[in-house]
Amino acid sequence: MTEKLYLALDLGTSFLKAGVYTRDGRCLGSCSEPVRDERPGPGIFIQRGDMLYDAILRCIRGITSRLPDPGAIAAIAFTGQMAGCIGVDEHWGDVTGWTCSLDSRYLPFADSQRARLGEEMFTIGGTVAPVLCAKYEWFRESFPEAHKRIAKYLLLNGYMIGRLSGIPIHQARIDHSLIAWTGLSDIRARSWSETICGKLGIPTRLLPEIVDCSAVGGFLEEGIAKSLSLAPGIPLVLGAGDKVSGCVGAAVLGEGERIFEASSYGAISSFVREVRQDRVKRNYDVIGGIDRSGYYAHKYIQGSGIVLDWFVDNMVKVGDDSRGAFRRADALATAVPPGSQNMLAIGLLSGSAMPFDADMRGMFLGHTLSHGKGHFYRALLESFTYDLALTLRSMDACYPESAGTPIKLIGGGAKSDLWPRILADVCGCPFVTLDREDLALWGAALLAARATGDIRDIREAAKARVRPVQRFDPDPGRHEGYQPYVDLYGEMTLAMKKYYQKLAAL
């Protein structure tokens, strides 16, 4: 009998990726396609639905053309971007284009909505970082005639499933992991919030049905299947947003289990059984898990990895050797003592998402003539870690059962010799690197296998296919020494707001 295979599709911002997996976690092939975008003016960033769909078809063909038996693919599941929207007409025609947070034309509407409904969006919806709700209002007010044609506002997995299956538009779906950042959900009830939608004047008929991440959204249409060398009728599984799908692939599916992704948007996720919020600091959201059994207390540090890239590219890099430049930056920073010799950085160059502060920019404090590139780079690494430490304090106060548990570490930062040690020392808990990097794709494949009934216990299946590589334990003395820096970082991020505003107004 031919072994069953599962196709995972990652709907990223810059690239679409595909991977084919066996049930035991082997990747038999992968493919990626760049995504084109339109940037006709400042703050405008649009990706057309047809372009995304065509890129997905190319990605799938790139996989199936290399498989001995593409007919063995038993299901297709999705992962990818978690915030944004695409408005489509009743025939799945693209009306708005895919517009994510990089298209900033919606921000005045977001500010207005936060002023009016920020409390409800946080306490009911679980988020301080809503997107779809503001995109809806922006499009309705700015393009009223086009808005009248829209039958559904969707995220990318629901849109792709509609295009690949040809289901009627009223059957469009969205999974649990994506509803929080729409700003329109009741996160506890896993439903659209009548309160928020009503106050914003958003008819729920324009929103998709909410389902588990392993729910089937449609089946591969016969003609499309033939063009892709796949069997018709393959289940198209909703899957999960990339952060949650990565948690699945890393087996972060038990109470108190945590993971930190040291990447472009550094993110901490902790699996929890119920919604408990820090209503004062509001420095993490609560987003849906893969089903009704749990949630993730989640915070992303906006642009953290992008800032490190910026620093290395502009201050360290010589020629085109990015990898070597990061190694040199690490070496320079390793020679600097903890605390960067009484120097503090705020590295949030594009603002803070949690808590929301669009005015925040970068700052270095305390540098003298004795500080060099290594000090500045280490100070940036420490600043993102201080931000994480403050979030962990907040999470631990609300979820004491998670406090001190080891944190799985993934992303580019996990390859550093230095940053994992800083993370452990500042946060006061162990960090553990893992033996696989394809966690979001593998997580989507697991959800596909669960949807077909080929996997019953998804947590045990995930645990069996990911292993620890290296553990970094905190040094008690360095941990104690770092805490005043964490406190000062918290004070400075609040105190600097008025100065950032004054500077921007000049």
Side-chain angles (χ1 to χ4, degrees):
M1 179 182 288
T2 303
E3 184 177 23
K4 284 186 178 181
L5 304 178
Y6 309 93
L7 174 58
L9 299 173
D10 185 347
L11 309 169
T13 305
S14 302
F15 288 90
L16 305 181
K17 301 174 186 176
V20 171
Y21 291 85
T22 61
R23 189 170 65 174
D24 62 4
R26 287 176 292 127
C27 182
L28 301 186
S30 61
C31 184
S32 68
E33 282 286 333
V35 178
R36 288 188 291 163
D37 59 68
E38 299 173 9
R39 308 186 195 196
I44 303 175
F45 184 94
I46 304 171
Q47 294 172 321
R48 298 296 173 188
D50 284 342
M51 292 181 183
L52 291 167
Y53 178 63
D54 289 343
I56 275 292
L57 296 181
R58 291 194 301 272
C59 229
I60 296 173
R61 290 190 186 104
I63 287 280
T64 57
S65 64
R66 300 198 299 268
L67 287 177
D69 182 13
I73 292 176
I76 301 173
F78 297 83
T79 184
Q81 298 175 66
M82 295 184 66
C85 70
I86 181 170
V88 300
D89 63 27
E90 61 181 9
H91 302 295
W92 295 96
D94 176 10
V95 179
T96 67
W98 168 253
T99 169
C100 62
S101 58
L102 294 175
D103 189 323
S104 59
R105 290 174 290 173
Y106 77 107
L107 287 177
F109 297 90
D111 291 340
S112 173
Q113 287 181 353
R114 282 190 186 92
R116 289 178 285 143
L117 290 170
E119 183 69 19
E120 289 92 337
M121 288 174 177
F122 183 68
T123 58
I124 298 173
T127 184
V128 295
V131 177
L132 190 154
C133 54
K135 294 279 185 182
Y136 170 92
E137 192 170 25
W138 157 65
F139 202 83
R140 183 186 66 193
E141 299 302 315
S142 303
F143 308 96
E145 292 305 312
H147 170 76
K148 292 175 184 177
R149 295 167 40 213
I150 294 174
K152 290 288 180 184
Y153 280 89
L154 304 168
L155 271 81
L156 283 179
N157 58 351
Y159 171 70
M160 290 299 178
I161 288 173
R163 293 290 303 269
L164 291 167
S165 66
I167 57 173
I169 192 67
H170 69 268
Q171 293 179 10
R173 291 179 158 186
I174 187 173
D175 69 87
H176 286 164
S177 74
L178 300 177
I179 63 173
W181 289 337
T182 66
L184 299 171
S185 71
D186 181 329
I187 195 66
R188 293 172 180 83
R190 312 286 180 118
S191 66
W192 299 118
S193 167
E194 293 182 7
T195 299
I196 298 172
C197 290
K199 289 185 177 181
L200 290 176
I202 299 179
T204 54
R205 61 177 170 79
L206 295 179
L207 302 174
E209 178 189 3
I210 300 170
V211 296
D212 287 359
C213 294
S214 55
V216 175
F219 298 88
L220 190 62
E221 191 270 332
E222 185 174 1
I224 297 172
K226 184 176 180 181
S227 74
L228 298 173
S229 302
L230 294 173
I234 292 174
L236 303 173
V237 181
L238 269 294
D242 52 7
K243 301 302 184 189
V244 173
S245 192
C247 288
V248 175
V252 180
L253 293 163
E255 187 168 18
E257 292 178 339
R258 306 188 291 183
I259 188 168
F260 181 66
E261 182 181 3
S263 62
S264 297
Y265 280 64
I268 179 73
S269 302
S270 176
F271 186 87
V272 297
R273 293 293 182 188
E274 59 188 38
V275 177
R276 303 178 203 157
Q277 297 166 306
D278 185 333
R279 298 194 177 190
V280 177
K281 296 185 174 63
R282 301 192 178 196
N283 56 1
Y284 67 87
D285 281 358
V286 179
I287 62 177
I290 61 173
D291 51 33
R292 291 181 177 270
S293 66
Y295 304 85
Y296 288 97
H298 177 89
K299 187 254 181 69
Y300 65 87
I301 304 171
Q302 190 155 301
S304 50
I306 295 171
V307 171
L308 296 177
D309 288 344
W310 162 81
F311 183 86
V312 170
D313 284 347
N314 287 280
M315 312 300 177
V316 182
K317 186 176 175 182
V318 178
D320 297 324
D321 184 13
S322 294
R323 193 170 295 179
F326 269 99
R327 285 196 297 267
R328 288 196 300 278
D330 256 19
L332 289 169
T334 299
V336 173
S340 302
Q341 290 185 316
N342 287 5
M343 178 177 164
L344 186 77
I346 295 176
L348 301 173
L349 305 192
S350 55
S352 170
M354 300 175 191
F356 181 78
D357 185 351
D359 297 314
M360 185 177 289
R361 293 294 181 266
M363 184 193 71
F364 288 99
L365 176 70
H367 47 293
T368 68
L369 294 174
S370 65
H371 290 85
K373 292 179 182 179
H375 295 83
F376 283 87
Y377 186 65
R378 183 176 185 118
L380 283 174
L381 290 175
E382 290 174 336
S383 79
F384 300 132
T385 311
Y386 300 156
D387 205 283
L388 172 61
L390 290 169
T391 300
L392 289 174
R393 287 182 186 178
S394 182
M395 286 183 178
D396 291 349
C398 294
Y399 297 99
E401 63 271 26
S402 303
T405 58
I407 298 176
K408 294 177 179 178
L409 179 61
I410 61 172
K415 300 173 185 177
S416 166
D417 291 330
L418 174 63
W419 199 5
R421 301 182 192 282
I422 293 175
L423 286 164
D425 288 342
V426 173
C427 298
C429 61
F431 280 74
V432 181
T433 60
L434 304 176
D435 67 346
R436 65 184 307 158
E437 299 179 7
D438 59 343
L439 294 168
L441 279 173
W442 168 229
L446 282 166
L447 289 166
R450 186 192 206 192
T452 59
D454 297 319
I455 287 177
R456 293 186 181 276
D457 189 331
I458 195 168
R459 182 167 182 260
E460 289 304 313
K463 281 176 62 178
R465 304 303 168 193
V466 64
R467 293 176 177 80
V469 173
Q470 188 173 3
R471 177 178 169 122
F472 297 86
D473 287 300
D475 177 276
R478 286 196 293 268
H479 174 64
E480 183 179 356
Y482 264 127
Q483 297 321 294
Y485 288 94
V486 176
D487 295 335
L488 182 57
Y489 175 89
E491 291 175 27
M492 290 303 300
T493 53
L494 294 175
M496 287 299 296
K497 183 177 178 66
K498 63 181 180 182
Y499 299 107
Y500 292 134
Q501 291 174 331
K502 287 182 177 180
L503 187 63
L506 294 180

